[in-house]
Amino acid sequence: MQECRIAANDLACRRGDRLLFAGLSFALESGQALQLVGSNGIGKSSLIRILAGLMPAYSGTVELAGSVGLVDERPALDPHLPLGKALAFWQRLDGAHDNRAAQLGLSDLMDVPVRYLSTGQKKRAALARLCGQAAPVWLLDEPLNGLDTRGTALVMDMVAEHCREGGIAVLASHQQFELSGMQRVELSAFLPSPSGKGRGWGFNADVVPPPQPLPSGEGLS
Amino acid sequence: MSSQFLTLLRRDLAQLFLGGRRGGALLPVLFFLAVAMLYPFAVGPDAPLLGKTGGGMIWVAALLAAILPLDRLIEPDLELGMFDQWALRGISEEWLVTVRMLAHWLSFGPPLMLAAIPASALVGIDGEKLRLVELGLLAGTPGLAALGVMIASITAGLRGGAALGGLLLIPLAVPLIVFGAGSLATGGTSGLALTGAFSLVLLAITPFAAGAAIREGRR
């Protein structure tokens, strides 16, 4: 697998007039994994989209080396096509790679139209699409949603193997993700409010003054 | 690059011709024929009048038929997240829109030109007029297809986008219908040439306008 790297420098995200997080920095090298945790609405999905380059950051930069594979809540598979044909479309664009359909338990579903698949089966199909892409940087937005316990274990194994092979994985998930050596970023630590008020919802960017450094050596006596 | 082009074109054609759940290429053609069939009923059995105005009516019907596929040109793929996945693979929106324009024209222009033959019989226009109508449609439908893709990109994701798209398309298509149907009255080639020229302008600006609209829609 090619060398890859993803780094966030002082990222801030603004949706509407709400600043969701600010001052977020991290750097991941080949073989490392990161879990983004935080309550609903705190900006996990927005951060994933910023890292993927699909959404501009309010401030800060993303450095990226290597191609990106994304799995989010939309499977990006044609709903009226049988699963096999829907996956084959991406296979033709990505070149022939192993999409691990068998390992993901999809072999028996290849003739079933995508719209008849369950939430968990669609998620597995999206993961098969991701594996076929052979992208070194994986961005996974809630990859465990809708998966049963076997599916969950499978995804954890896949991520672990991906990192062993030198890939990078960034996961946004509020579920416990067991992976040795995985870093965790708690997004609530990057709420721009010094008091942490309005936790999980952000707050109005225009009314909050930038944090002032404490005056040193004076005023306290 | 060429295999990527063929893969994308093949999917677009399958989507637009068969249409999945949304009607496919047959719907605009049937609508076009239905309007052509209604016209003599509305005007009455006055053969000279029908022959004189029938060509223009075919143009109006073609323009209205162009509104029908608007809501399935761009919106379904945005909802599915296809455009995001393509962007991650480095496939530009301009390129995707160009492929889609070609696929949309193929699923819409030639079928309409074929349907114009029975339509011309229904409104009773002669062979010479039919030749001009066909040439005009050949020159004008690429422009209608480009306009459709541009408007579909701009209105994708809006509530009531399909209705708004129809309203936007009609005024922008006025030059096409003025020159296209105008060539019937004058019998000259200058109207056809101007229709073709306007089509080419639309074909040239649509990839950039639609590509920018799709990117802006991600914010």
Side-chain angles (χ1 to χ4, degrees), chain A residues 15 49 52-56 67-72 74-81 89-90 92-94 129 133, chain B residues 3-4 7-8 10-11 14-15 19-21 77-89 91 215 218-219:
Chain A
R15 302 296 283 158
R49 288 183 69 75
L54 293 171
M55 210 171 86
S67 59
V68 169
L70 170 77
V71 168
D72 57 14
R74 300 163 306 173
L77 298 166
D78 287 316
H80 61 279
L81 285 185
F89 169 73
W90 290 111
R92 277 195 298 275
L93 282 184
D94 292 333
R129 190 200 68 223
Q133 196 185 344
Chain B
S3 87
Q4 183 196 73
T7 304
L8 290 170
R10 218 166 78 183
R11 174 176 178 275
Q15 298 272 322
R21 64 212 151 102
D77 280 353
L78 273 183
E79 274 173 22
L80 278 177
M82 303 296 275
F83 277 100
D84 287 352
Q85 293 293 336
W86 285 321
L88 292 177
R89 285 158 175 80
I91 309 174
R215 268 195 301 278
R218 289 206 180 98
R219 283 169 181 271

Short mmCIF file of all heavy atoms in Angstrom, two decimals, chain A residues 15 49 52-56 67-72 74-81 89-90 92-94 129 133, chain B residues 3-4 7-8 10-11 14-15 19-21 77-89 91 215 218-219:
data_model
loop_
_atom_site.label_atom_id
_atom_site.label_comp_id
_atom_site.label_asym_id
_atom_site.label_seq_id
_atom_site.Cartn_x
_atom_site.Cartn_y
_atom_site.Cartn_z
N ARG A 15 -21.50 25.63 10.71
CA ARG A 15 -22.71 25.27 9.95
C ARG A 15 -23.74 26.34 10.23
O ARG A 15 -24.11 26.55 11.38
CB ARG A 15 -23.26 23.91 10.38
CG ARG A 15 -22.30 22.76 10.24
CD ARG A 15 -21.93 22.49 8.81
NE ARG A 15 -22.96 21.80 8.04
CZ ARG A 15 -23.05 21.84 6.71
NH1 ARG A 15 -22.22 22.58 6.02
NH2 ARG A 15 -23.96 21.15 6.09
N ARG A 49 -16.49 15.00 6.39
CA ARG A 49 -16.63 15.59 5.05
C ARG A 49 -15.54 16.64 4.78
O ARG A 49 -15.08 16.77 3.66
CB ARG A 49 -18.02 16.21 4.88
CG ARG A 49 -19.12 15.16 4.75
CD ARG A 49 -20.47 15.76 4.52
NE ARG A 49 -20.61 16.39 3.21
CZ ARG A 49 -20.76 15.72 2.07
NH1 ARG A 49 -20.80 14.42 2.09
NH2 ARG A 49 -20.86 16.36 0.93
N ALA A 52 -12.48 14.73 3.94
CA ALA A 52 -12.57 14.15 2.59
C ALA A 52 -12.43 15.21 1.50
O ALA A 52 -12.31 14.88 0.33
CB ALA A 52 -13.91 13.43 2.43
N GLY A 53 -12.47 16.48 1.91
CA GLY A 53 -12.36 17.55 0.92
C GLY A 53 -13.68 17.86 0.24
O GLY A 53 -13.71 18.55 -0.78
N LEU A 54 -14.78 17.33 0.79
CA LEU A 54 -16.08 17.57 0.17
C LEU A 54 -16.73 18.83 0.70
O LEU A 54 -17.68 19.33 0.12
CB LEU A 54 -17.01 16.38 0.44
CG LEU A 54 -16.60 15.08 -0.24
CD1 LEU A 54 -17.44 13.92 0.25
CD2 LEU A 54 -16.68 15.21 -1.74
N MET A 55 -16.22 19.34 1.84
CA MET A 55 -16.79 20.54 2.44
C MET A 55 -15.63 21.42 2.85
O MET A 55 -14.63 20.92 3.35
CB MET A 55 -17.61 20.13 3.67
CG MET A 55 -18.77 21.00 3.99
SD MET A 55 -19.75 20.24 5.30
CE MET A 55 -18.91 20.83 6.73
N PRO A 56 -15.74 22.73 2.62
CA PRO A 56 -14.63 23.59 3.05
C PRO A 56 -14.66 23.78 4.56
O PRO A 56 -15.72 23.85 5.17
CB PRO A 56 -14.92 24.90 2.31
CG PRO A 56 -16.39 24.91 2.08
CD PRO A 56 -16.82 23.48 1.97
N SER A 67 -5.12 8.50 -1.69
CA SER A 67 -6.53 8.68 -2.07
C SER A 67 -7.45 8.29 -0.90
O SER A 67 -7.05 7.56 0.00
CB SER A 67 -6.86 7.85 -3.30
OG SER A 67 -6.62 6.50 -3.05
N VAL A 68 -8.66 8.80 -0.95
CA VAL A 68 -9.59 8.68 0.17
C VAL A 68 -10.77 7.78 -0.21
O VAL A 68 -11.32 7.90 -1.30
CB VAL A 68 -10.12 10.08 0.56
CG1 VAL A 68 -11.28 9.96 1.53
CG2 VAL A 68 -9.02 10.91 1.15
N GLY A 69 -11.12 6.88 0.68
CA GLY A 69 -12.35 6.11 0.53
C GLY A 69 -13.32 6.53 1.62
O GLY A 69 -12.93 6.67 2.77
N LEU A 70 -14.58 6.74 1.24
CA LEU A 70 -15.56 7.26 2.20
C LEU A 70 -16.75 6.32 2.29
O LEU A 70 -17.28 5.87 1.28
CB LEU A 70 -16.02 8.65 1.75
CG LEU A 70 -17.21 9.27 2.49
CD1 LEU A 70 -16.78 9.81 3.84
CD2 LEU A 70 -17.83 10.38 1.66
N VAL A 71 -17.17 6.02 3.51
CA VAL A 71 -18.45 5.33 3.72
C VAL A 71 -19.27 6.18 4.65
O VAL A 71 -18.84 6.50 5.75
CB VAL A 71 -18.23 3.92 4.33
CG1 VAL A 71 -19.55 3.35 4.81
CG2 VAL A 71 -17.61 2.98 3.31
N ASP A 72 -20.41 6.64 4.17
CA ASP A 72 -21.29 7.38 5.07
C ASP A 72 -22.68 6.74 5.02
O ASP A 72 -22.83 5.57 4.67
CB ASP A 72 -21.30 8.88 4.73
CG ASP A 72 -21.70 9.15 3.28
OD1 ASP A 72 -22.21 8.23 2.63
OD2 ASP A 72 -21.50 10.28 2.82
N ARG A 74 -25.04 7.09 3.06
CA ARG A 74 -25.58 6.79 1.73
C ARG A 74 -24.71 5.74 1.07
O ARG A 74 -23.49 5.92 0.96
CB ARG A 74 -25.60 8.07 0.89
CG ARG A 74 -26.45 9.17 1.50
CD ARG A 74 -26.11 10.50 0.89
NE ARG A 74 -24.67 10.75 0.99
CZ ARG A 74 -24.06 11.78 0.43
NH1 ARG A 74 -24.73 12.63 -0.27
NH2 ARG A 74 -22.77 11.94 0.59
N PRO A 75 -25.29 4.63 0.60
CA PRO A 75 -24.45 3.56 0.07
C PRO A 75 -23.87 3.85 -1.31
O PRO A 75 -22.91 3.19 -1.71
CB PRO A 75 -25.40 2.36 0.02
CG PRO A 75 -26.76 2.95 -0.06
CD PRO A 75 -26.71 4.26 0.66
N ALA A 76 -24.40 4.83 -2.03
CA ALA A 76 -23.93 5.13 -3.39
C ALA A 76 -23.99 3.90 -4.29
O ALA A 76 -23.06 3.63 -5.06
CB ALA A 76 -22.52 5.74 -3.38
N LEU A 77 -25.05 3.14 -4.17
CA LEU A 77 -25.28 1.98 -5.05
C LEU A 77 -26.68 2.15 -5.64
O LEU A 77 -27.61 2.49 -4.91
CB LEU A 77 -25.18 0.68 -4.27
CG LEU A 77 -23.82 0.39 -3.64
CD1 LEU A 77 -23.92 -0.72 -2.61
CD2 LEU A 77 -22.80 0.01 -4.71
N ASP A 78 -26.80 1.91 -6.95
CA ASP A 78 -28.08 2.14 -7.61
C ASP A 78 -29.16 1.25 -7.02
O ASP A 78 -29.05 0.03 -7.05
CB ASP A 78 -27.95 1.88 -9.11
CG ASP A 78 -27.17 2.99 -9.77
OD1 ASP A 78 -27.45 4.15 -9.46
OD2 ASP A 78 -26.28 2.69 -10.58
N PRO A 79 -30.24 1.84 -6.49
CA PRO A 79 -31.22 1.05 -5.74
C PRO A 79 -31.95 0.00 -6.58
O PRO A 79 -32.31 -1.04 -6.04
CB PRO A 79 -32.21 2.09 -5.22
CG PRO A 79 -31.79 3.40 -5.73
CD PRO A 79 -30.52 3.27 -6.48
N HIS A 80 -32.15 0.26 -7.87
CA HIS A 80 -32.95 -0.70 -8.65
C HIS A 80 -32.10 -1.81 -9.25
O HIS A 80 -32.62 -2.76 -9.80
CB HIS A 80 -33.72 0.03 -9.74
CG HIS A 80 -32.82 0.73 -10.71
ND1 HIS A 80 -32.27 1.95 -10.45
CD2 HIS A 80 -32.35 0.35 -11.92
CE1 HIS A 80 -31.51 2.31 -11.47
NE2 HIS A 80 -31.54 1.36 -12.37
N LEU A 81 -30.77 -1.68 -9.16
CA LEU A 81 -29.89 -2.70 -9.74
C LEU A 81 -29.65 -3.83 -8.74
O LEU A 81 -29.64 -3.60 -7.54
CB LEU A 81 -28.54 -2.09 -10.12
CG LEU A 81 -28.45 -1.20 -11.34
CD1 LEU A 81 -27.01 -0.82 -11.58
CD2 LEU A 81 -29.02 -1.89 -12.56
N PHE A 89 -20.28 -1.68 -11.15
CA PHE A 89 -20.08 -0.34 -11.70
C PHE A 89 -18.86 0.31 -11.06
O PHE A 89 -18.00 0.86 -11.75
CB PHE A 89 -21.32 0.52 -11.46
CG PHE A 89 -21.10 1.99 -11.75
CD1 PHE A 89 -20.99 2.44 -13.05
CD2 PHE A 89 -20.97 2.90 -10.71
CE1 PHE A 89 -20.77 3.79 -13.33
CE2 PHE A 89 -20.76 4.24 -10.98
CZ PHE A 89 -20.65 4.69 -12.28
N TRP A 90 -18.76 0.24 -9.72
CA TRP A 90 -17.61 0.85 -9.03
C TRP A 90 -16.34 0.08 -9.32
O TRP A 90 -15.26 0.65 -9.39
CB TRP A 90 -17.88 0.93 -7.53
CG TRP A 90 -18.92 1.95 -7.20
CD1 TRP A 90 -20.18 1.70 -6.73
CD2 TRP A 90 -18.83 3.37 -7.36
NE1 TRP A 90 -20.87 2.88 -6.59
CE2 TRP A 90 -20.07 3.92 -6.96
CE3 TRP A 90 -17.83 4.23 -7.80
CZ2 TRP A 90 -20.32 5.29 -6.98
CZ3 TRP A 90 -18.09 5.59 -7.82
CH2 TRP A 90 -19.31 6.10 -7.42
N ARG A 92 -15.58 -1.31 -12.11
CA ARG A 92 -15.07 -0.88 -13.41
C ARG A 92 -14.36 0.46 -13.29
O ARG A 92 -13.37 0.71 -13.98
CB ARG A 92 -16.21 -0.78 -14.43
CG ARG A 92 -16.55 -2.12 -15.06
CD ARG A 92 -17.39 -1.95 -16.30
NE ARG A 92 -18.68 -1.33 -16.01
CZ ARG A 92 -19.76 -2.00 -15.60
NH1 ARG A 92 -19.70 -3.30 -15.44
NH2 ARG A 92 -20.89 -1.38 -15.36
N LEU A 93 -14.85 1.36 -12.42
CA LEU A 93 -14.20 2.66 -12.25
C LEU A 93 -12.91 2.54 -11.46
O LEU A 93 -11.93 3.23 -11.72
CB LEU A 93 -15.14 3.63 -11.52
CG LEU A 93 -16.26 4.27 -12.32
CD1 LEU A 93 -17.01 5.27 -11.45
CD2 LEU A 93 -15.73 4.97 -13.55
N ASP A 94 -12.90 1.65 -10.46
CA ASP A 94 -11.76 1.57 -9.55
C ASP A 94 -10.69 0.61 -10.04
O ASP A 94 -9.61 0.54 -9.46
CB ASP A 94 -12.23 1.12 -8.16
CG ASP A 94 -13.09 2.17 -7.49
OD1 ASP A 94 -12.92 3.36 -7.81
OD2 ASP A 94 -13.94 1.82 -6.66
N ARG A 129 -17.76 -1.91 -1.40
CA ARG A 129 -17.35 -0.89 -2.37
C ARG A 129 -16.05 -0.23 -1.93
O ARG A 129 -15.14 0.00 -2.73
CB ARG A 129 -18.46 0.15 -2.49
CG ARG A 129 -18.30 1.13 -3.63
CD ARG A 129 -19.12 2.38 -3.39
NE ARG A 129 -18.59 3.13 -2.28
CZ ARG A 129 -19.31 3.69 -1.32
NH1 ARG A 129 -20.61 3.58 -1.32
NH2 ARG A 129 -18.73 4.34 -0.35
N GLN A 133 -12.05 -0.23 -3.66
CA GLN A 133 -11.45 1.02 -4.12
C GLN A 133 -9.94 1.05 -3.89
O GLN A 133 -9.23 1.80 -4.55
CB GLN A 133 -12.12 2.17 -3.36
CG GLN A 133 -11.90 3.54 -3.97
CD GLN A 133 -12.48 4.65 -3.10
OE1 GLN A 133 -13.30 4.38 -2.22
NE2 GLN A 133 -12.08 5.88 -3.33
N SER B 3 -12.18 4.27 -20.96
CA SER B 3 -12.99 3.22 -20.32
C SER B 3 -13.83 3.83 -19.21
O SER B 3 -14.97 3.42 -18.98
CB SER B 3 -12.08 2.12 -19.77
OG SER B 3 -11.65 2.42 -18.47
N GLN B 4 -13.28 4.84 -18.53
CA GLN B 4 -14.07 5.55 -17.52
C GLN B 4 -15.27 6.25 -18.17
O GLN B 4 -16.39 6.18 -17.68
CB GLN B 4 -13.18 6.58 -16.84
CG GLN B 4 -13.87 7.33 -15.72
CD GLN B 4 -13.11 8.59 -15.35
OE1 GLN B 4 -13.11 9.57 -16.08
NE2 GLN B 4 -12.42 8.53 -14.23
N THR B 7 -17.85 3.65 -19.08
CA THR B 7 -18.54 3.15 -17.88
C THR B 7 -19.59 4.13 -17.41
O THR B 7 -20.73 3.75 -17.11
CB THR B 7 -17.51 2.91 -16.76
OG1 THR B 7 -16.51 2.02 -17.24
CG2 THR B 7 -18.17 2.32 -15.53
N LEU B 8 -19.20 5.40 -17.35
CA LEU B 8 -20.15 6.43 -16.89
C LEU B 8 -21.30 6.58 -17.88
O LEU B 8 -22.47 6.67 -17.48
CB LEU B 8 -19.43 7.77 -16.73
CG LEU B 8 -18.43 7.87 -15.58
CD1 LEU B 8 -17.63 9.15 -15.68
CD2 LEU B 8 -19.14 7.80 -14.25
N ARG B 10 -22.45 4.42 -19.99
CA ARG B 10 -23.32 3.25 -19.98
C ARG B 10 -24.30 3.29 -18.82
O ARG B 10 -25.49 3.01 -18.97
CB ARG B 10 -22.47 1.97 -19.90
CG ARG B 10 -23.02 0.85 -20.73
CD ARG B 10 -22.01 -0.23 -20.90
NE ARG B 10 -21.93 -1.06 -19.71
CZ ARG B 10 -21.07 -2.06 -19.59
NH1 ARG B 10 -20.24 -2.34 -20.55
NH2 ARG B 10 -21.06 -2.79 -18.50
N ARG B 11 -23.79 3.71 -17.65
CA ARG B 11 -24.69 3.81 -16.50
C ARG B 11 -25.73 4.90 -16.72
O ARG B 11 -26.91 4.70 -16.48
CB ARG B 11 -23.89 4.11 -15.24
CG ARG B 11 -24.80 4.36 -14.05
CD ARG B 11 -24.07 4.57 -12.77
NE ARG B 11 -25.02 4.85 -11.71
CZ ARG B 11 -25.50 6.05 -11.44
NH1 ARG B 11 -25.11 7.09 -12.16
NH2 ARG B 11 -26.37 6.22 -10.48
N ALA B 14 -28.37 3.73 -19.14
CA ALA B 14 -29.27 2.75 -18.52
C ALA B 14 -30.26 3.46 -17.59
O ALA B 14 -31.45 3.14 -17.56
CB ALA B 14 -28.46 1.72 -17.75
N GLN B 15 -29.74 4.45 -16.83
CA GLN B 15 -30.61 5.18 -15.92
C GLN B 15 -31.67 5.96 -16.67
O GLN B 15 -32.82 6.01 -16.27
CB GLN B 15 -29.78 6.18 -15.09
CG GLN B 15 -28.74 5.55 -14.22
CD GLN B 15 -29.31 5.19 -12.88
OE1 GLN B 15 -30.11 5.91 -12.33
NE2 GLN B 15 -28.91 4.06 -12.35
N GLY B 19 -34.69 4.16 -16.71
CA GLY B 19 -35.23 5.09 -15.72
C GLY B 19 -35.51 4.51 -14.36
O GLY B 19 -35.96 5.23 -13.49
N GLY B 20 -35.21 3.22 -14.16
CA GLY B 20 -35.52 2.67 -12.85
C GLY B 20 -36.98 2.85 -12.55
O GLY B 20 -37.85 2.38 -13.27
N ARG B 21 -37.25 3.63 -11.49
CA ARG B 21 -38.64 3.80 -11.08
C ARG B 21 -39.27 5.04 -11.69
O ARG B 21 -40.41 5.32 -11.48
CB ARG B 21 -38.70 3.85 -9.55
CG ARG B 21 -37.98 5.05 -9.00
CD ARG B 21 -37.35 4.76 -7.65
NE ARG B 21 -36.17 5.57 -7.44
CZ ARG B 21 -36.16 6.65 -6.68
NH1 ARG B 21 -37.21 7.03 -6.03
NH2 ARG B 21 -35.06 7.34 -6.54
N ASP B 77 -28.83 11.03 -8.16
CA ASP B 77 -27.42 10.71 -7.89
C ASP B 77 -26.85 11.55 -6.75
O ASP B 77 -25.95 11.09 -6.04
CB ASP B 77 -26.58 10.92 -9.16
CG ASP B 77 -26.71 9.74 -10.10
OD1 ASP B 77 -27.33 8.74 -9.69
OD2 ASP B 77 -26.21 9.82 -11.22
N LEU B 78 -27.37 12.76 -6.57
CA LEU B 78 -26.93 13.55 -5.42
C LEU B 78 -27.40 12.89 -4.13
O LEU B 78 -26.66 12.76 -3.16
CB LEU B 78 -27.51 14.96 -5.50
CG LEU B 78 -26.73 16.01 -6.28
CD1 LEU B 78 -27.43 17.35 -6.17
CD2 LEU B 78 -25.30 16.13 -5.78
N GLU B 79 -28.67 12.44 -4.14
CA GLU B 79 -29.23 11.80 -2.94
C GLU B 79 -28.48 10.52 -2.59
O GLU B 79 -28.29 10.20 -1.42
CB GLU B 79 -30.70 11.44 -3.18
CG GLU B 79 -31.66 12.56 -2.89
CD GLU B 79 -33.07 12.20 -3.31
OE1 GLU B 79 -33.37 11.00 -3.42
OE2 GLU B 79 -33.85 13.14 -3.54
N LEU B 80 -28.06 9.79 -3.62
CA LEU B 80 -27.37 8.52 -3.38
C LEU B 80 -25.93 8.72 -2.92
O LEU B 80 -25.29 7.78 -2.49
CB LEU B 80 -27.33 7.70 -4.68
CG LEU B 80 -28.56 6.90 -5.03
CD1 LEU B 80 -28.34 6.23 -6.38
CD2 LEU B 80 -28.82 5.83 -3.98
N GLY B 81 -25.41 9.95 -3.06
CA GLY B 81 -24.01 10.17 -2.72
C GLY B 81 -23.06 9.79 -3.84
O GLY B 81 -21.85 9.68 -3.61
N MET B 82 -23.60 9.58 -5.05
CA MET B 82 -22.73 9.19 -6.16
C MET B 82 -21.72 10.30 -6.48
O MET B 82 -20.54 10.03 -6.73
CB MET B 82 -23.55 8.90 -7.43
CG MET B 82 -24.60 7.82 -7.28
SD MET B 82 -23.94 6.20 -6.93
CE MET B 82 -23.58 5.58 -8.54
N PHE B 83 -22.21 11.56 -6.48
CA PHE B 83 -21.31 12.65 -6.87
C PHE B 83 -20.15 12.79 -5.88
O PHE B 83 -19.03 13.09 -6.28
CB PHE B 83 -22.09 13.97 -6.99
CG PHE B 83 -22.79 14.12 -8.30
CD1 PHE B 83 -24.15 13.85 -8.43
CD2 PHE B 83 -22.09 14.48 -9.44
CE1 PHE B 83 -24.78 13.98 -9.65
CE2 PHE B 83 -22.71 14.61 -10.67
CZ PHE B 83 -24.07 14.35 -10.77
N ASP B 84 -20.42 12.53 -4.57
CA ASP B 84 -19.34 12.59 -3.59
C ASP B 84 -18.30 11.50 -3.87
O ASP B 84 -17.10 11.73 -3.81
CB ASP B 84 -19.91 12.42 -2.18
CG ASP B 84 -20.66 13.66 -1.72
OD1 ASP B 84 -20.59 14.67 -2.44
OD2 ASP B 84 -21.31 13.61 -0.67
N GLN B 85 -18.80 10.30 -4.16
CA GLN B 85 -17.87 9.20 -4.43
C GLN B 85 -17.05 9.47 -5.68
O GLN B 85 -15.87 9.16 -5.74
CB GLN B 85 -18.65 7.88 -4.58
CG GLN B 85 -19.31 7.39 -3.30
CD GLN B 85 -18.31 6.98 -2.24
OE1 GLN B 85 -17.17 6.63 -2.53
NE2 GLN B 85 -18.72 7.03 -0.99
N TRP B 86 -17.70 10.05 -6.70
CA TRP B 86 -16.94 10.39 -7.91
C TRP B 86 -15.89 11.45 -7.60
O TRP B 86 -14.76 11.38 -8.09
CB TRP B 86 -17.90 10.88 -9.01
CG TRP B 86 -18.68 9.78 -9.65
CD1 TRP B 86 -18.21 8.53 -9.96
CD2 TRP B 86 -20.06 9.80 -10.06
NE1 TRP B 86 -19.22 7.79 -10.52
CE2 TRP B 86 -20.35 8.54 -10.60
CE3 TRP B 86 -21.05 10.78 -10.02
CZ2 TRP B 86 -21.61 8.21 -11.10
CZ3 TRP B 86 -22.31 10.46 -10.52
CH2 TRP B 86 -22.57 9.19 -11.06
N ALA B 87 -16.26 12.45 -6.78
CA ALA B 87 -15.31 13.51 -6.44
C ALA B 87 -14.08 12.92 -5.74
O ALA B 87 -12.95 13.32 -6.01
CB ALA B 87 -15.98 14.56 -5.56
N LEU B 88 -14.31 11.94 -4.85
CA LEU B 88 -13.18 11.32 -4.13
C LEU B 88 -12.27 10.57 -5.08
O LEU B 88 -11.10 10.37 -4.80
CB LEU B 88 -13.69 10.36 -3.06
CG LEU B 88 -14.42 11.00 -1.89
CD1 LEU B 88 -14.93 9.93 -0.95
CD2 LEU B 88 -13.50 11.95 -1.16
N ARG B 89 -12.81 10.13 -6.20
CA ARG B 89 -11.99 9.43 -7.18
C ARG B 89 -11.38 10.38 -8.20
O ARG B 89 -10.82 9.96 -9.21
CB ARG B 89 -12.84 8.37 -7.90
CG ARG B 89 -13.10 7.15 -7.01
CD ARG B 89 -14.33 6.40 -7.48
NE ARG B 89 -14.53 5.17 -6.73
CZ ARG B 89 -15.09 5.11 -5.53
NH1 ARG B 89 -15.47 6.22 -4.95
NH2 ARG B 89 -15.26 3.96 -4.91
N ILE B 91 -12.85 12.44 -10.25
CA ILE B 91 -13.60 12.66 -11.49
C ILE B 91 -14.33 14.00 -11.35
O ILE B 91 -15.14 14.16 -10.44
CB ILE B 91 -14.62 11.52 -11.74
CG1 ILE B 91 -13.91 10.18 -11.64
CG2 ILE B 91 -15.28 11.69 -13.09
CD1 ILE B 91 -14.85 8.99 -11.72
N ARG B 215 -21.07 21.47 -7.03
CA ARG B 215 -20.07 21.68 -5.97
C ARG B 215 -20.61 22.60 -4.88
O ARG B 215 -20.42 22.36 -3.69
CB ARG B 215 -18.79 22.28 -6.56
CG ARG B 215 -17.78 21.22 -6.97
CD ARG B 215 -16.43 21.85 -7.19
NE ARG B 215 -16.50 22.88 -8.21
CZ ARG B 215 -16.45 22.64 -9.51
NH1 ARG B 215 -16.30 21.40 -9.93
NH2 ARG B 215 -16.53 23.61 -10.39
N ARG B 218 -22.84 21.19 -2.09
CA ARG B 218 -22.27 20.37 -1.01
C ARG B 218 -22.10 21.16 0.28
O ARG B 218 -21.91 20.58 1.33
CB ARG B 218 -20.89 19.86 -1.42
CG ARG B 218 -20.94 18.81 -2.48
CD ARG B 218 -19.71 17.93 -2.40
NE ARG B 218 -19.77 16.92 -3.44
CZ ARG B 218 -19.13 17.02 -4.60
NH1 ARG B 218 -18.39 18.06 -4.83
NH2 ARG B 218 -19.24 16.07 -5.50
N ARG B 219 -22.08 22.46 0.20
CA ARG B 219 -21.75 23.26 1.39
C ARG B 219 -22.78 23.09 2.49
O ARG B 219 -23.94 22.94 2.22
CB ARG B 219 -21.66 24.74 1.01
CG ARG B 219 -20.38 25.05 0.30
CD ARG B 219 -20.44 26.43 -0.28
NE ARG B 219 -19.19 26.70 -0.98
CZ ARG B 219 -18.12 27.23 -0.38
NH1 ARG B 219 -18.16 27.56 0.87
NH2 ARG B 219 -17.01 27.43 -1.06
#
